[in-house]
Amino acid sequence: MGWDVRVPTDIPTDTLTEHFEEHRSMLLGVAYRMLGRAADAEDVVQEAWLRWTAEDRTEVREPRAFLVRITTRLAIDRLRQAQARRESYVGPWLPEPVVTDFGPTAPDTAERALLADSVSLAVLVVLESLSPLERAVFVLREAFGFPYAEIATALDRSEAAVRQLAGRARRHVDEGKPRYDVDPTERRDLTERFLTAAAGGDLGGLLALLAPDVRLVGDSGGKSKAPLRIIESADKVGRFLHATAQGADEIFEFRFLELNGGPALLALVDGRPDSVFQIEVLDGRVQCVYIIRNPDKLQALAGL
């Protein structure tokens, strides 16, 4: 059965708020995975709230259905606009990093790992290659486990069409997603060693941590210094990081955070977020280095 998305007209305002707040975290999760920007996700969820309170509500049985349907459709519309803007984005594009604390929504290790993987930078980058509808189906199905029939109702598509979209999206993600180890302890240890070698000017130590085919992806949006192309190979990545550390005039303070499901470094200058560093690991070596320096994407990390 599909969702009945009608909502009663006589629900008190306090109850409307309770229904919405009960599902807010999930709605934000859907919108962020769709858009890759926390600010855009907040805007979408706020618009969903406005529509929730303004809708002609009759004979509701499932408030969550209405909220997921509206949030997903708003996110699809905004994603189409964002994809057009990203064609002129300066340099590589990475998602806006978000602090991940899955709390009670992930009662066991397996579910937490699934949620962490669905919000990782690597997966979100691959999701950029999907159409908005494919991305919506993938997010609702893979990250949140919604049945195909419910997704079909939310997207106003047939269940058969949704299954086709899901299969196509899954193949694209499987083909495009690199294989990384997800052990958080190993990633944290390598991140600490990576920071020590880079900040200490230890080029040899840094090169020893990097896989031969390591990639460095920097996102500045043209608003700060970062590579405008992806850097590849241990020698090039190591020398770039070494030269950057040696030439820095600022005094950095580093803090460890969990961002997008994994350990990351937040670099601050005079208490303000300057950069986010995160690494991906395979077989004990650093396979990918992400550096996010676009100040628009770091605002939410101020004060952490």
Side-chain angles (χ1 to χ4, degrees), residues 1-8 58-65:
M1 293 178 62
W3 288 335
D4 183 338
V5 299
R6 293 173 296 173
V7 188
T58 57
E59 301 178 10
V60 71
R61 287 191 295 275
E62 182 50 81
R64 184 187 73 161

Side-chain angles (χ1 to χ4, degrees), residues 102-116:
F102 300 116
T105 64
D108 57 50
T109 302
E111 185 175 348
R112 187 187 185 287
L114 175 63
L115 286 167

Side-chain angles (χ1 to χ4, degrees), residues 69-81:
R69 179 177 182 175
I70 294 301
T71 298
T72 303
R73 292 185 178 187
L74 288 169
I76 287 173
D77 290 342
R78 185 169 287 236
L79 180 59
R80 287 173 174 148
Q81 298 168 9

Side-chain angles (χ1 to χ4, degrees), residues 3-7 11 14-33 41-42 44-46 48-49 52 60-72 104-105 140 144 146 150:
W3 288 335
D4 183 338
V5 299
R6 293 173 296 173
V7 188
I11 296 181
D14 288 349
T15 304
L16 286 176
T17 303
E18 290 174 5
H19 281 318
F20 188 82
E21 291 301 324
E22 178 184 355
H23 303 298
R24 176 188 283 274
S25 177
M26 178 191 64
L27 300 177
L28 283 170
V30 169
Y32 175 73
R33 287 166 176 82
E42 291 279 1
V44 162
V45 172
Q46 178 62 23
W49 161 252
W52 166 244
V60 71
R61 287 191 295 275
E62 182 50 81
R64 184 187 73 161
F66 176 88
L67 294 170
V68 170
R69 179 177 182 175
I70 294 301
T71 298
T72 303
T105 64
L140 293 175
F144 293 94
F146 288 119
E150 297 184 350

Side-chain angles (χ1 to χ4, degrees), residues 25-142:
S25 177
M26 178 191 64
L27 300 177
L28 283 170
V30 169
Y32 175 73
R33 287 166 176 82
M34 283 289 297
L35 299 167
R37 285 210 61 189
D40 288 345
E42 291 279 1
D43 288 346
V44 162
V45 172
Q46 178 62 23
E47 178 64 22
W49 161 252
L50 294 175
R51 297 198 181 192
W52 166 244
T53 57
E55 186 73 12
D56 179 16
R57 297 174 292 274
T58 57
E59 301 178 10
V60 71
R61 287 191 295 275
E62 182 50 81
R64 184 187 73 161
F66 176 88
L67 294 170
V68 170
R69 179 177 182 175
I70 294 301
T71 298
T72 303
R73 292 185 178 187
L74 288 169
I76 287 173
D77 290 342
R78 185 169 287 236
L79 180 59
R80 287 173 174 148
Q81 298 168 9
Q83 286 179 332
R85 292 195 303 270
R86 284 173 195 167
E87 292 178 1
S88 59
Y89 195 80
V90 178
W93 179 93
L94 289 172
E96 177 183 347
V98 293
V99 176
T100 42
D101 178 8
F102 300 116
T105 64
D108 57 50
T109 302
E111 185 175 348
R112 187 187 185 287
L114 175 63
L115 286 167
D117 183 62
S118 73
V119 81
S120 71
L121 296 182
V123 166
L124 291 175
V125 168
V126 175
L127 292 187
E128 285 291 298
S129 66
L130 303 181
S131 73
L133 277 176
E134 288 172 340
R135 188 163 181 168
V137 171
F138 182 89
V139 167
L140 293 175
R141 179 66 180 172
E142 300 292 333

